[in-house]
Amino acid sequence: VVYKCRNYPEGGYCNAGPNFAPGSTNSAMGWIKVGSCDGTIAPTASPVAPTASQFEGKGCPQAYAVGGDYSAGDKVEYKGRVYECKQWPYSGFCGQANYEPGTTYGNMGWNPLGWCDGTIKPTAAPTIDPNAPGCPPVYDPSVVYQSGMNVEKDSVVYKCRNYPEGGYCNAGPNFAPGSTNSAMGWIKVGSCDGTIAP
């Protein structure tokens, strides 16, 4: 006899033990009798893993690192697969432990894109303008920051993200520039030296 597990909430009885098993006295609480059958159902074909992706022949991006400073759109390699950090607010999971790409909770922050092999050819080193201005004001937790404002912390320039992510720029020390959750409200712009002339 074929039985079908009922929808929630009655379906909870389908796993309630032998007193609620198909054909038992309490069977109807979790199971619907569908009809009779004969023989077995032939198995389906085994799934086939993809053999090509948008990264074939292009190499792998940088390997994932727990605690890395990842932002929406960043791509990483983890165990031979390429993942892309999701858009805010999910991008906050991308650098956290227990949210590694391809793991149980990894889909909270990462989208799988395909397989890769090798490394991606590096781009040219950035050029630094010798006439660039010095550092913006030092980050001060007592200041209310607006989207687009730049600050300096430990000789690194950070820019407050646009709304709604910019709300994290004023969310306290756990979201300050350079902190573990910095990328939720701040974009790392680059390094600086000295001060900007008034």
Side-chain angles (χ1 to χ4, degrees), residues 8-105:
Y8 177 84
E10 296 90 351
Y13 287 104
C14 296
N15 300 307
N19 292 335
F20 298 91
S24 69
T25 305
N26 300 315
S27 173
M29 293 182 74
W31 298 94
I32 300 168
K33 188 186 280 186
V34 177
S36 61
C37 64
D38 184 25
T40 58
I41 298 173
T44 59
S46 297
V48 178
T51 56
S53 75
Q54 59 181 312
F55 294 94
E56 185 175 8
K58 297 179 182 176
C60 297
Q62 187 172 6
Y64 173 79
V66 175
D69 186 14
Y70 298 110
S71 300
D74 287 350
K75 293 176 183 65
V76 297
E77 177 272 333
Y78 189 74
K79 297 185 179 179
R81 294 193 73 184
V82 179
Y83 295 87
E84 181 178 49
C85 184
K86 291 184 177 182
Q87 295 297 314
W88 187 88
Y90 307 105
S91 58
F93 292 106
C94 293
Q96 295 186 28
N98 300 319
Y99 294 91
E100 293 88 351
T103 61
T104 303
Y105 300 108

Side-chain angles (χ1 to χ4, degrees), residues 81-154:
R81 294 193 73 184
V82 179
Y83 295 87
E84 181 178 49
C85 184
K86 291 184 177 182
Q87 295 297 314
W88 187 88
Y90 307 105
S91 58
F93 292 106
C94 293
Q96 295 186 28
N98 300 319
Y99 294 91
E100 293 88 351
T103 61
T104 303
Y105 300 108
N107 65 345
M108 297 286 290
W110 297 97
N111 285 320
L113 297 180
W115 299 94
C116 68
D117 186 27
T119 57
I120 295 175
K121 181 180 177 183
T123 57
T127 56
I128 298 172
D129 181 359
N131 299 316
C135 297
V138 174
Y139 172 76
D140 180 353
S142 67
V143 173
V144 176
Y145 292 102
Q146 304 293 325
S147 296
M149 291 178 76
N150 290 332
V151 298
E152 177 264 329
K153 178 135 191 229
D154 301 324

